[in-house]
Amino acid sequence: MIHQMTRSFFLFLSSRTTLNTFAQKWGLKFGASHIVAGQTMNDALRVAESLHSQGLTCIFDHLGEFVHSKEEAREATNAAIATIERIATSPLDIHLSVKLTQLGLSIDEDFCLQNMTDIVAAAKKHQVFVCIDMENYTHYEQTLRILEKLRQQNEQVGTVLQAYLRHAMKDLKQLHDVPLRLVKGAYKESEKVAFQKKEIIDEHFYRMITTHLKEGVFTAIATHDHRIIEKVISFVQKNNIPTDTFEFQFLYGFRPNLQQQLVQQGYAVRIYVPFGKDWFGYFMRRLAERPQNISFAMRGLLQRK
């Protein structure tokens, strides 16, 4: 009960535009620097270089969710293209993650599609893989529609499916030939569309992972849950799943020891590296996911004092 109340509180904060505006002026505070690489591309590249030296690859996310005008969305589009061009000059293995609300989805779907078309064209030119992040359920169907249209021009684009959604397995089967990042889900959704119990979500998550792995299409398994990771390893070994058809993904700043254990065992591990001034919503969702994450914020506050 206490965890649910805490989770609801931080998810509420994550959607507050005013707080995000203040956070831009604060800079990375309250422990956010533990899990956000910095505010600039150079910050993110320095982190990527450090991670690469540890045998880890990256996926960059230029944070930004509170977009209310076409001008802001075009700025975000240009920033994504610039990120792709910068990645292309780096010897490191880096993918790009994008959020459609940052690119104008809440303003106009066709406008967002055009922005994504420009991004995907740049990604195809520079051979950079793009993953469309899945946001709250309000934008779910729109995201899948845009994905379908984009894959007609570039197959090196995928998306995220959230295991807490009741119809996620059905959509997984429809996207059987699409590279997917599979996650449990981090937004607060109604019981009508999402499972609420951890045990059910975990089981659904594992079933989705094994189903997609058997398709032979690239699968990113994004979780810090060592129990699920252990079950997946047992599954791939038993079923002779090639190790180049999947990877484990972690959020930057979480479970580095487990990351290294997996690398030493010969598994690919990619780190989700967020950067940018709009860090507040992302940080609040991480606090909502696990009560232990609040320790980051507490340490940050004490250090500030």
Side-chain angles (χ1 to χ4, degrees), residues 35 54 56 223-230 249-262 269 271 290 293 296:
I35 61 176
Q54 302 167 51
L56 305 163
T223 182
H224 304 147
D225 190 330
H226 62 275
R227 289 159 299 202
I228 289 179
I229 290 173
E230 289 168 1
Q249 291 190 357
F250 290 77
L251 299 176
Y252 172 62
F254 291 92
R255 306 213 66 176
N257 292 337
L258 180 55
Q259 296 169 21
Q260 284 305 308
Q261 289 174 19
L262 291 169
V269 178
I271 309 302
R290 298 173 71 242
N293 294 347
F296 283 125

Side-chain angles (χ1 to χ4, degrees), residues 144-156:
L144 294 184
R145 282 198 299 269
I146 288 176
L147 173 69
E148 182 180 8
K149 294 173 183 176
L150 291 172
R151 280 185 57 80
Q152 294 173 9
Q153 60 171 300
N154 184 2
E155 291 188 352
Q156 287 301 301

Side-chain angles (χ1 to χ4, degrees), residues 9 17 45 61 126 130 137-138 152 171 179 182 214-215 256 263:
F9 173 69
T17 305
L45 284 170
D61 178 11
H126 295 288
V130 176
Y137 192 72
T138 304
Q152 294 173 9
D171 293 326
L182 303 180
K214 286 187 288 188
E215 291 287 350
V263 169

Side-chain angles (χ1 to χ4, degrees), residues 16 89 112 127 130 239 246 250 268:
R16 300 300 94 185
T89 66
C112 178
Q127 298 184 332
V130 176
N239 291 273
F246 69 93
F250 290 77

